[in-house]
Amino acid sequence: MTTLTSSVPARSDLDPGTPRRREPTRTAWLPTAVLLIGAFYCLLPVAWVVAASTKSGSSLFTTFTFAPGGDLLDNLSDLSTYGDGIYWRWLANSLLYAGVGGAISALVSGLSGYTLAKFRFPGRDAIFNVLLAGVLVPGVTLAIPQYLLLAKVGLTDTYWSVLLPSIISPFGIYLARIYAAAAVPDTVLEAARTDGAGELRIFGRVALPMMLPGLVTVFLFQFVAIWNNFLLPFVMISSDGRFPVTVGLFTLLNQGQTVPALYSVVIIGVLVSILPLIALFLLLQRYWRLDLVSGAVKG
């Protein structure tokens, strides 16, 4: 005799008027504790910068570390007037290097990734394997060879010496290839070819809009990498007016060994240099937070 008791749903599940019982929630204490420790570890230096940027040079090392001061506006004024406003020139240079370099790198990565994902040609797998190997090579080790190559053609101490090495991103090409393979259906490309569209037009009018969330992510990663890069512009650039903010603050920090009052200028400069990154993340979050593996044919 077959028993049906286990397959009959409970009355509360059948009656829509009966409130459903809530499953008891359980807190995973160990992962939560690890995450809290990680967040504390990452945010502690930021909290120190925020607190120290409000102190004057005389109170920076004589008061409690995380106690805020009342000299934030004075420090901002000192930062703006130092060297006839050279800090804002450094900040504009960083925006130029990271903005232009990130945008060109995202476009090149998108075109390369789309080609590797949607076209079959001899050596495609070998090229992709070389790109994967390039992901494992630290960018720091390439700074000196890139300097020697650009010195041969007379491009050192120019804006191009920082922009050109930043255009090619193996990780960006890898990410764009993965995204193009998942988000651009072959049937859509075949339909466009049947309608007589050329390959360049198909990429610009069909594939590129579908790959936009992935390319925004590539741009964001590359923007942050160029913005935080120190060694490459330090090696390439020798003129103060072309320094990015990282190298400019480093020169100020070295001068602080003989002029301690410059430490407060350096710290407020560090705080201001973080703000564009936060603004960029907030501005682009509606793109990069999209599901990177969702189909792009919707809409």
Side-chain angles (χ1 to χ4, degrees):
M1 180 177 180
T2 304
T3 304
L4 301 177
T5 307
S6 59
S7 62
V8 177
R11 182 178 178 82
S12 60
D13 296 333
L14 295 175
D15 188 359
T18 304
R20 293 185 177 182
R21 292 178 301 175
R22 291 185 176 180
E23 295 292 336
T25 57
R26 294 182 299 176
T27 302
W29 292 106
L30 181 59
T32 303
V34 172
L35 289 175
L36 288 175
I37 293 173
F40 179 78
Y41 177 81
C42 294
L43 294 178
L44 188 64
V46 179
W48 183 88
V49 170
V50 173
S53 63
T54 62
K55 299 178 182 179
S56 63
S58 59
S59 62
L60 183 60
F61 301 111
T62 57
T63 59
F64 178 64
T65 302
F66 295 100
D71 298 295
L72 177 63
L73 296 180
D74 292 337
N75 291 337
L76 279 174
S77 177
D78 294 340
L79 179 69
S80 299
T81 57
Y82 178 81
D84 294 330
I86 189 65
Y87 175 81
W88 303 112
R89 179 70 179 271
W90 296 338
L91 203 63
N93 289 339
S94 287
L95 286 173
L96 173 68
Y97 294 136
V100 176
I104 297 177
S105 178
L107 183 61
V108 172
S109 298
L111 184 59
S112 305
Y114 170 77
T115 303
L116 290 171
K118 295 301 175 181
F119 292 90
R120 295 187 178 277
F121 51 88
R124 185 184 71 159
D125 294 336
I127 294 174
F128 185 64
N129 290 333
V130 170
L131 285 172
L132 285 181
V135 174
L136 304 177
V137 178
V140 175
T141 60
L142 302 176
I144 301 302
Q146 288 168 344
Y147 171 79
L148 295 176
L149 289 173
L150 292 174
K152 283 283 186 182
V153 294
L155 287 179
T156 54
D157 197 24
T158 64
Y159 289 106
W160 291 109
S161 62
V162 179
L163 285 174
L164 289 178
S166 306
I167 289 176
I168 302 299
S169 170
F171 178 72
I173 296 174
Y174 167 76
L175 187 61
R177 181 187 186 272
I178 299 298
Y179 193 85
V184 183
D186 293 336
T187 54
V188 175
L189 301 181
E190 290 300 327
R193 293 185 182 115
T194 303
D195 291 340
E199 294 297 337
L200 192 59
R201 186 176 183 183
I202 292 174
F203 173 74
R205 302 294 296 273
V206 178
L208 199 59
M210 293 178 178
M211 297 172 60
L212 186 59
L215 295 183
V216 170
T217 304
V218 173
F219 169 76
L220 202 58
F221 285 160
Q222 194 66 0
F223 185 96
V224 175
I226 299 173
W227 186 276
N228 293 328
N229 196 355
F230 171 78
L231 183 60
L232 180 67
F234 180 75
V235 171
M236 295 288 185
I237 304 295
S238 56
S239 302
D240 291 359
R242 297 190 182 94
F243 281 168
V245 70
T246 51
V247 180
L249 289 176
F250 174 75
T251 59
L252 277 184
L253 188 64
N254 280 340
Q255 297 175 26
Q257 296 177 358
T258 54
V259 187
L262 287 179
Y263 283 133
S264 59
V265 177
V266 174
I267 292 172
I268 190 67
V270 170
L271 179 64
V272 174
S273 69
I274 299 173
L275 300 181
L277 297 179
I278 297 175
L280 187 67
F281 269 84
L282 294 177
L283 184 66
L284 298 180
Q285 63 175 339
R286 72 187 184 95
Y287 291 101
W288 60 267
R289 288 181 64 183
L290 290 175
D291 186 5
L292 291 179
V293 296
S294 65
V297 292
K298 51 189 177 184

